[in-house]
Amino acid sequence: MKVLIIDDDPLALRIACARLARENVGLLTAQNGREGLALARSDRPDLILLDLHMPDLSGFDVIRELKGDADLCMVPVIFLTGSGGADDKVRGLDLGAVDYVTKPFDAFELCARVRAALRTKRLQDLLMEQAHIDPLTGLGNRRALMDRLERECERLRRHGGSLSFIMTDIDHFKTVNDRHGHSVGDRVLHEFAQALQQECRRIDLPARYGGEEFGIVVPDEPSEQAAILADRCRRRVEALAVPLREETVRVTASFGVSSADPETADPQTLLRRADAALYRAKQTGRNRVCSTDGAAWCT
């Protein structure tokens, strides 16, 4: 796990690094608030030790920036302060710090507080991971999908580029449940999810949106490339065979593709447009891909 230390005092930085050298953590250091924020955004530390009094940005300013950043707001912060005053400590805790350590550091206290904060962070990460996983399919759930879409839209608005989204639905899935029962339907959902995951890149996010409906967040790709990915998924799903005692269950799926640019990057807009394209795929024969630009791949 990575620990970022932000302190404008070079001696304090060296002492803190020396104290934590045996803690089996990666150490990052910054000598002012702006440098610390840049490092936090680029390296995503698991814990930040933050000096309270710095000339460019105070520790209070830095923690406000951290807590306002969707990617960093859950990183625990321990304040480093040379002041024993209760007011600063209370203010820091109210702003979101999890603890504070008074300078000059006591070696055992500093290490113990860092270990405690990292244990809490590990448990927090585990809970967050479980909260974002669909237990049936092993993919991300609706919360994971919406969180990722929001982050990707924010990135697109800030930095430009491309972003696409795929909505997919198993054709006639109710018939599978009605004919074979929900246990077989669950097997089909699991195999369907694995088929999507096998076609996606590592940076894509396939997730279960609800029921037999799934979504795929496709960063850095225009709609044309996302439609090609969707068609690969369609063909893999079409080739699925879920064996039963007497027969084999086969399904197909329909796909809708939407895309965004920096001016139109909004999760709800992407969802609405992908859903409209999916509806068109269903209405025009199923087992096909339709995109918001009108392109379609049919069997």
Side-chain angles (χ1 to χ4, degrees), residues 74-75 120 161:
M74 300 303 291
V75 178
T120 302

Side-chain angles (χ1 to χ4, degrees), residues 47 51 100 136 171 203 231 250:
L47 172 65
D51 186 26
Y100 64 88
L136 175 63
D171 296 327
I203 65 170
D231 196 54
R250 296 183 179 274

Side-chain angles (χ1 to χ4, degrees), residues 108-240:
F108 296 106
E109 179 187 10
L110 177 65
C111 293
R113 291 182 185 272
V114 166
R115 287 195 298 269
L118 289 176
R119 282 196 300 269
T120 302
K121 180 64 162 56
R122 290 188 189 100
L123 290 174
Q124 171 189 293
D125 289 347
L126 181 61
L127 289 171
M128 289 291 290
E129 181 180 348
Q130 293 300 317
H132 283 73
I133 291 176
D134 174 61
L136 175 63
T137 64
L139 296 185
N141 59 17
R142 184 170 182 158
R143 179 185 296 179
L145 183 71
M146 297 308 298
D147 286 353
R148 179 67 181 278
L149 262 182
E150 184 62 51
R151 291 199 304 272
E152 291 297 336
C153 284
E154 183 180 354
R155 178 193 59 79
L156 189 63
R157 289 191 294 265
R158 287 184 177 182
H159 306 294
S162 301
L163 173 63
S164 294
F165 178 69
I166 300 169
M167 185 74 82
T168 178
D169 184 281
I170 301 175
D171 296 327
H172 302 297
F173 183 70
K174 185 177 183 299
T175 302
V176 175
N177 280 332
D178 290 345
R179 181 175 179 181
H180 302 288
H182 288 277
S183 62
V184 173
D186 287 350
R187 287 176 59 191
V188 170
L189 286 171
H190 183 269
E191 293 299 320
F192 177 79
Q194 296 308 302
L196 298 184
Q197 191 165 46
Q198 288 164 7
E199 291 298 334
C200 288
R201 305 167 300 168
R202 291 184 64 181
I203 65 170
D204 300 332
L205 177 70
R208 188 180 181 189
Y209 189 72
E212 68 271 24
E213 199 166 37
F214 292 72
I216 306 174
V217 182
V218 189
D220 301 323
E221 292 288 4
S223 62
E224 294 84 357
Q225 293 301 314
I228 292 172
L229 167 61
D231 196 54
R232 290 203 310 269
C233 292
R234 183 195 63 78
R235 286 184 276 116
R236 184 176 282 271
V237 170
E238 190 178 31
L240 284 178

Side-chain angles (χ1 to χ4, degrees), residues 27-65:
L27 293 175
L28 306 166
T29 62
Q31 294 190 356
N32 60 66
R34 297 188 190 283
E35 181 185 351
L37 284 171
L39 265 178
R41 287 169 176 144
S42 63
D43 288 72
R44 303 291 176 83
D46 299 287
L47 172 65
I48 297 174
L49 303 183
L50 178 59
D51 186 26
L52 200 55
H53 301 291
M54 294 182 291
D56 64 334
L57 291 177
S58 72
F60 299 129
D61 296 326
V62 173
I63 197 170
R64 286 193 193 95
E65 290 280 341

